[in-house]
Amino acid sequence: LLSCRLYCEEAKDPKRRSCQTVLAEALDIIIRSFAPILPHLAEEVFQYIPYKKDSEGVFRTGWINASSAWKKPGIEEAIESACAMRDSFLGSISGKNALEYEVIIVIEPGLLFELMEALQAEETSSVSQLNEIMMASQTTLLSELPKEIPSDANIIKGTFLINLEGGDICEQSSYKVIAQPIAKAKCPRCRRYTAESSSTPCPRCLQVLAAGKGST
């Protein structure tokens, strides 16, 4: 998830920058959390942070001060439900490379489907947040089963309990995860099976490479 965003996206792409922001925030919270127990280690790590603006030490810059903007309603449930579906998918292909598969997630219209749409707005994607969580090469989000399902596809059924606003909104939703081998070639740059040929980068990587050439 992190490696794809950090190493495959364009340097200034919002997805890559947002990933760096999360890592920076997580590091800051971790350092301040263990500073009272491991003061010397915390101070040494703090002094080596390349982007920090404070010249003072970790003990002179205050305690943890996470922004309330990080607490977005529904995002925790969206990630947890997506992770549950991912676990179902990975369990069905135990020992195999998840990138060699495409995933179809089928959820009836409702709250769970809306949460998944927040992670993937388009029907099919290889670069959405949902696909990154699933760890597959491509993810499709549907509200009903496709008319044709390959004979070699794995169909996994599951349920997830959504609990929002302290229990005021509670809904048990069912889902189906269909895992099937992907027909595309392995991209030589991002290593996902999203290319038309093994010797040519996938459309996303071609776009990033073209943007990189244009900025030089």
Side-chain angles (χ1 to χ4, degrees):
L1 175 59
L2 296 181
S3 61
C4 187
R5 284 193 176 200
L6 290 173
Y7 302 118
C8 295
E9 299 292 353
E10 188 182 353
K12 295 183 179 181
D13 188 281
K15 286 187 287 187
R16 182 176 184 273
R17 297 288 293 173
S18 65
C19 181
Q20 292 176 312
T21 299
V22 170
L23 290 174
E25 185 74 11
L27 177 61
D28 184 82
I29 291 175
I30 291 172
I31 293 172
R32 297 181 193 278
S33 296
F34 68 65
I37 306 170
L38 300 169
H40 298 293
L41 176 60
E43 186 61 41
E44 183 176 3
V45 174
F46 190 78
Q47 292 301 327
Y48 274 95
I49 295 177
Y51 50 80
K52 70 179 181 67
K53 298 178 181 179
D54 300 307
S55 58
E56 297 181 324
V58 64
F59 292 98
R60 293 181 177 274
T61 54
W63 185 235
I64 297 171
N65 185 27
S67 171
S68 59
W70 292 97
K71 187 62 176 177
K72 185 177 179 181
I75 193 65
E76 182 177 351
E77 288 73 16
I79 299 298
E80 287 181 352
S81 56
C83 286
M85 297 175 197
R86 178 198 60 198
D87 292 343
S88 298
F89 160 56
L90 295 179
S92 72
I93 59 162
S94 180
K96 298 180 181 179
N97 183 3
L99 289 175
E100 295 179 358
Y101 287 81
E102 62 175 311
V103 174
I104 300 174
I105 298 174
V106 182
I107 309 170
E108 292 184 358
L111 186 54
L112 182 58
F113 188 85
E114 292 175 5
L115 290 176
M116 291 304 98
E117 281 189 314
L119 300 177
Q120 179 169 302
E122 57 271 40
E123 184 176 281
T124 300
S125 177
S126 61
V127 297
S128 68
Q129 295 180 71
L130 179 58
N131 187 67
E132 289 179 341
I133 293 171
M134 296 303 293
M135 300 172 63
S137 278
Q138 181 175 284
T139 297
T140 298
L141 180 62
L142 301 174
S143 59
E144 58 183 16
L145 280 170
K147 294 180 180 179
E148 296 183 4
I149 301 176
S151 57
D152 58 349
N154 297 326
I155 303 178
I156 312 100
K157 298 179 180 179
T159 59
F160 187 82
L161 178 63
I162 301 171
N163 196 331
L164 295 173
E165 298 184 7
D168 291 340
I169 300 176
C170 190
E171 183 177 298
Q172 178 102 9
S173 300
S174 61
Y175 62 83
K176 295 182 182 70
V177 177
I178 304 171
Q180 58 190 43
I182 195 163
K184 294 185 178 181
K186 186 177 182 179
C187 173
R189 182 175 180 271
C190 69
R191 305 299 179 183
R192 288 184 174 179
Y193 289 77
T194 51
E196 298 301 324
S197 167
S198 58
S199 60
T200 305
C202 66
R204 186 274 301 272
C205 286
L206 285 173
Q207 183 177 354
V208 172
L209 292 170
K213 290 181 180 179
S215 61
T216 57

